[in-house]
Amino acid sequence: MKLYIKNMVCNRCVMVVEQILKRLDIPFHNVQLGEVDTEEELAAAKLESLDNQLHAVGFSLIDDRKQRMIEQIKNLVVKMVHQSADLPRQNFSDFLSTQLHYDYTYLSNLFSDVEGTTIEQYIIRQKIERAKELLVYDELTLSEIADQMGYSSVAHLSSQFKKVTGLTPSHFRQIRENKRKPLDEL
């Protein structure tokens, strides 16, 4: 049985869901961002217990097809921006279409209708959050961060960074007190 779980955005989320499944004695094959493959169909009572445990830690089961697609889009974006060394050089629209086997226009319209924002804006917020993380670590130059995040120039990164945060990347690096947001709040 495949279950879809909302708000799983990192490897720690996967670990937490695995712990919940073990605690509830739910055998599973695989847990990845937003998805769980269980070894058997779950009874309604077991699903309700699982959903309650997930809610307690900020997750929830998704049973709506559109919501599942939204979570898959978000998980792919998070995975590419936060968990890969370099962003793909192909367009995100091509990447999402290829991975999800849907036309990008459909994905974009669905995302906008359900989330109230565009996929592009979601990607930008994720990239800026990742840039904040890299700026705080202070290991890369602004030019290296712009390149790693797939920006054409430092000016482009700086412009989007300022639009989202109200600060320039250099100023953000200096103050380092502008709290980063958890990925599930973006």
Side-chain angles (χ1 to χ4, degrees), residues 28-141:
F28 60 93
H29 295 291
N30 185 29
V31 178
Q32 57 187 3
L33 291 180
E35 294 181 13
V36 173
D37 288 319
T38 62
E39 292 180 10
E40 57 195 34
E41 292 289 320
L42 300 180
K46 198 71 140 173
L47 276 173
E48 187 177 338
S49 268
L50 176 59
D51 197 33
N52 289 337
Q53 292 283 313
L54 292 171
H55 274 287
V57 292
F59 304 127
S60 62
L61 286 175
I62 303 171
D63 57 2
D64 177 63
R65 187 179 67 79
K66 289 181 179 181
Q67 266 310 123
R68 286 195 306 253
M69 182 63 68
I70 298 301
E71 280 304 304
Q72 287 177 316
I73 292 169
K74 287 180 174 182
N75 289 335
L76 284 169
V77 170
V78 166
K79 188 174 185 179
M80 289 310 304
V81 172
H82 296 276
Q83 297 174 358
S84 65
D86 290 307
L87 294 175
R89 292 301 171 195
Q90 82 183 114
N91 292 334
F92 267 98
S93 57
D94 293 339
F95 174 73
L96 291 172
S97 292
T98 302
Q99 293 294 309
L100 299 172
H101 310 290
Y102 281 95
D103 180 63
Y104 182 74
T105 303
Y106 168 76
L107 296 173
S108 179
N109 289 335
L110 175 66
F111 194 91
S112 295
D113 290 345
V114 173
E115 291 295 309
T117 188
T118 64
I119 292 175
E120 292 80 10
Q121 288 301 313
Y122 184 76
I123 292 168
I124 289 168
R125 288 195 320 261
Q126 293 295 331
K127 288 170 76 172
I128 296 305
E129 201 57 38
R130 176 70 174 139
K132 285 178 174 179
E133 181 180 5
L134 295 172
L135 286 166
V136 168
Y137 292 160
D138 204 20
E139 294 174 352
L140 301 174
T141 67

Side-chain angles (χ1 to χ4, degrees), residues 9 11 14 65 81 84 107 126 136 151 161 163 165 181:
V9 295
N11 290 331
V14 170
R65 187 179 67 79
V81 172
S84 65
L107 296 173
Q126 293 295 331
V136 168
Y151 285 98
F161 194 95
K163 193 181 293 184
T165 66
K181 294 181 183 175

Side-chain angles (χ1 to χ4, degrees), residues 142-154:
L142 204 49
S143 180
E144 291 169 328
I145 292 171
D147 185 55
Q148 185 174 353
M149 299 309 303
Y151 285 98
S152 57
S153 66
V154 172

